[in-house]
């Protein structure tokens, strides 16, 4: 087995980067809270995120994704963790299913395949070999459901992994704290 050797300066740099990330995440939470506390001064026509909506996000991934603000917040969380390819793929599949023109299906299916499915794709999602092969065959004569199995797998991954981490994250906790502060007032 090959042995990995890391120089002390690289370890120090890595540790320094980890500390910077922790500080950034801590300040991100407090920045978010201060921005939320300023919200009531916005004009009455501005659509706002309600405390009740934030609380509903914790009930299920489905509820979170059904909310415009929930979706945006979840995407920001995944992006901060460098794992936003799953939600991107899921959303692209949702749009792909709405395509009515068979003429547009083929190029879009190929693009999705090259971006998310194919081995070593730029935003490769984590699916099993069997599903990857099935999609490779389906893309040759695409239909609106050719990515459904991969989309189900990705949704389950988000539900079991990303979503619970989101609920424990500083981003969500800060929003929840702000919501409970707002309700108390």
């Amino acid at each position: 087995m090959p042995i990995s050797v890391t120089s002390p300066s690289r370890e120090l740099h890595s540790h320094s980067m980890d500390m910077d990330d922790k500080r950034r995440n801590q300040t991100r939470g407090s920045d978010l809270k201060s921005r939320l506390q300023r919200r009531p001064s916005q004009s009455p026509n501005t659509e706002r995120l309600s405390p009740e909506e934030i609380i509903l996000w914790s009930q299920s991934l489905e509820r979170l994704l059904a909310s415009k603000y929930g979706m945006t917040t979840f995407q920001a969380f995944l992006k901060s963790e460098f794992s936003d390819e799953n939600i991107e793929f899921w959303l692209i599949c949702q749009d792909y299913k709405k395509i009515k023109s068979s003429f547009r299906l083929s190029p879009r299916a190929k693009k999705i395949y090259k971006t998310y499915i194919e081995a070593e794709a730029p935003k490769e999602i984590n699916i099993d070999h069997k599903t990857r092969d099935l999609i490779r065959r389906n893309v040759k004569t695409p239909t609106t459901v050719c990515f459904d199995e991969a989309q189900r797998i990705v949704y389950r991954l988000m539900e079991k992994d990303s979503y619970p981490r989101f609920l424990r994250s500083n981003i969500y906790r800060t929003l929840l704290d702000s919501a409970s502060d707002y309700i108390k007032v």
Side-chain angles (χ1 to χ4, degrees), residues 5 7 14 19 25 28 35 37-38 59 74 84 89 94 104 106 111 141 144 162 169-170 173 176 181:
V5 179
S7 70
S14 174
M19 294 303 289
N25 283 337
R28 185 182 306 149
R35 283 195 311 259
Q37 288 170 341
R38 280 186 254 139
Q59 292 182 354
F74 189 56
D84 54 336
F89 173 74
Q94 291 296 95
R104 291 181 57 216
S106 184
K111 185 175 182 179
T141 54
T144 55
S162 307
S169 73
N170 284 340
R173 290 285 166 209
L176 206 53
D181 290 349

Side-chain angles (χ1 to χ4, degrees), residues 21-180:
D21 287 345
K22 284 181 183 175
R23 272 189 233 109
R24 210 175 295 119
N25 283 337
Q26 287 170 344
T27 58
R28 185 182 306 149
S30 60
D31 289 348
L32 182 60
K33 191 168 187 172
S34 66
R35 283 195 311 259
L36 286 170
Q37 288 170 341
R38 280 186 254 139
R39 289 189 87 121
S41 65
Q42 293 176 340
S43 69
N45 295 337
T46 304
E47 191 178 324
R48 292 194 196 146
L49 175 60
S50 74
E52 295 81 11
E53 185 176 353
I54 296 168
I55 293 166
L56 285 175
W57 296 349
S58 67
Q59 292 182 354
S60 70
L61 177 60
E62 184 178 355
R63 283 206 185 231
L64 175 68
L65 298 180
S67 160
K68 178 176 88 173
Y69 292 117
M71 173 71 75
T72 303
T73 307
F74 189 56
Q75 283 178 295
F77 165 73
L78 292 174
K79 194 173 219 64
S80 76
E81 290 202 332
F82 305 102
S83 62
D84 54 336
E85 67 281 348
N86 286 337
I87 191 67
E88 283 182 22
F89 173 74
W90 188 82
L91 288 168
I92 283 173
C93 287
Q94 291 296 95
D95 287 342
Y96 176 79
K97 290 176 185 182
K98 296 173 188 170
I99 296 173
K100 301 286 185 227
S101 162
S102 58
F103 176 74
R104 291 181 57 216
L105 277 179
S106 184
R108 186 76 58 92
K110 288 175 183 165
K111 185 175 182 179
I112 293 170
Y113 180 80
K114 286 190 176 299
T115 306
Y116 298 96
I117 306 295
E118 153 177 285
E120 305 298 319
K123 296 181 179 186
E124 185 178 357
I125 56 170
N126 186 10
I127 56 174
D128 58 273
H129 182 68
K130 184 178 136 189
T131 305
R132 196 175 309 278
D133 284 346
L134 172 68
I135 293 171
R136 185 178 43 77
R137 288 189 305 272
N138 287 346
V139 167
K140 291 177 182 172
T141 54
T143 65
T144 55
V145 296
C146 69
F147 296 105
D148 279 5
E149 185 57 27
Q151 192 180 19
R152 270 190 290 278
I153 291 169
V154 163
Y155 186 90
R156 282 194 305 267
L157 280 171
M158 290 190 300
E159 193 172 43
K160 301 284 185 235
D161 183 46
S162 307
Y163 176 64
R165 277 197 330 272
F166 169 75
L167 294 177
R168 293 187 303 268
S169 73
N170 284 340
I171 292 173
Y172 182 68
R173 290 285 166 209
T174 300
L175 283 169
L176 206 53
D177 290 347
S178 296
S180 59

